[in-house]
Amino acid sequence: MSGAIRIAPSILSADLTRLADQVRAVLEGGADWLHVDVMDGRFVPNLTFGANIVAALRKLTDRPIDVHLMVVEPERYIDPMADAGASVCTFHPEATIHVQRQLAAIRQRGMLAGLALNPASPLALVEDVVSDLDLLLVMTVNPGFGGQSYLPAATEKIQRARALLQARRSRAFLEVDGGIGPETIAAAHAAGADTFVAGNAIFGSPDPARQVRELRQRCAVQV
Ligand code: DX5
Ligand code: ZN
């Protein structure tokens, strides 16, 4: 893969007692997007942020805010996220009955529309809506928590996802999320990912800005 890549720090792993400082640090390091993990305690066994955090982040930056909805009935969150200033809105296809309707609703609200696939969820779940997608997120861990290890089987799935997008002449972003760090990002990039979420690797470091730069550099490494 060549071309532009995006690094999207996940604030799930940030020190929330000093969120603004942490966000400024990653922006200074060149973070392209900010990734916000919205969990409802139902779709995943954890509870995190709502639209109020997106609105707070929007006051800190003009850069895209990438909302990852790990919730049942994502349709209930589309308007609140748009109103709060989200730029990208991604949900899981198992979480709603009318997937295409929600993708269209997200675009209608001026956001980029994304679908996320769990490790066990097949690419077939998105095949019939590729033209409705601005982003495809291949989960490289089971969603719910930061700090988990990259699942090696994901690399081949990223390759198949890239092949699907190419076959359909889709220009959707291909994002990966979970266990992305200096040791795993090059393989995901070589497999065809172009947008990289990282939580623990960035905010678990004493120098988050440097880690953003490091991750970007690692994408230039041949694997
Ligand atoms: C996991 C979330 C991820 C998480 C990634 O459910 O979707 O965005 O923050 O964290 P790391 O990079 O620590 O695996
Ligand atoms: Zn995420």
Side-chain angles (χ1 to χ4, degrees):
M1 272 299 291
S2 57
I5 64 146
R6 282 147 296 279
I7 305 290
S10 166
I11 62 155
L12 183 63
S13 297
D15 177 349
L16 297 180
T17 64
R18 46 194 196 93
L19 181 60
D21 289 345
Q22 297 252 284
V23 166
R24 283 189 203 103
V26 294
L27 294 175
E28 193 264 315
D32 301 277
W33 293 0
L34 293 176
H35 185 83
V36 180
D37 288 301
V38 177
M39 305 185 191
D40 65 353
R42 294 182 65 203
F43 187 78
V44 289
N46 196 6
L47 190 62
T48 58
F49 316 116
N52 53 350
I53 287 282
V54 174
L57 292 172
R58 187 39 86 217
K59 292 184 188 161
L60 296 175
T61 181
D62 290 335
R63 285 186 219 175
I65 297 176
D66 177 33
V67 170
H68 178 192
L69 295 176
M70 284 158 277
V71 301
V72 297
E73 298 173 3
E75 53 270 30
R76 297 168 55 215
Y77 300 81
I78 294 170
D79 282 335
M81 292 301 167
D83 292 342
S87 317
V88 184
C89 187
T90 297
F91 62 95
H92 289 250
E94 300 91 343
T96 187
I97 295 171
H98 299 290
V99 170
Q100 197 278 339
R101 176 177 290 157
Q102 312 323 334
L103 291 170
I106 290 169
R107 283 181 165 177
Q108 191 85 35
R109 288 299 320 262
M111 299 183 286
L112 299 182
L115 281 177
L117 292 174
N118 285 338
S121 299
L123 279 167
L125 283 176
V126 305
E127 271 179 13
D128 289 347
V129 288
V130 170
S131 62
D132 298 290
L133 288 183
D134 300 302
L135 179 144
L136 175 58
L137 169 52
V138 173
M139 291 302 302
T140 42
V141 299
N142 286 292
F145 303 93
Q148 302 181 81
S149 297
Y150 180 93
L151 293 169
T155 305
E156 188 261 341
K157 187 174 184 182
I158 298 164
Q159 289 171 348
R160 284 187 287 116
R162 172 54 68 195
L164 172 66
L165 295 178
Q166 267 169 358
R168 301 299 182 84
R169 293 181 161 63
S170 166
R171 300 183 65 185
F173 298 114
L174 180 51
E175 184 172 56
V176 286
D177 183 4
I180 298 294
E183 308 305 323
T184 53
I185 194 168
H189 177 253
D194 56 29
T195 304
F196 303 88
V197 177
N200 193 52
I202 291 174
F203 291 110
S205 147
D207 189 346
R210 207 188 74 96
Q211 276 294 89
V212 173
R213 293 187 202 103
E214 169 79 11
L215 290 175
R216 194 183 302 283
Q217 281 166 9
R218 293 278 176 143
C219 287
V221 174
Q222 299 295 319
V223 289

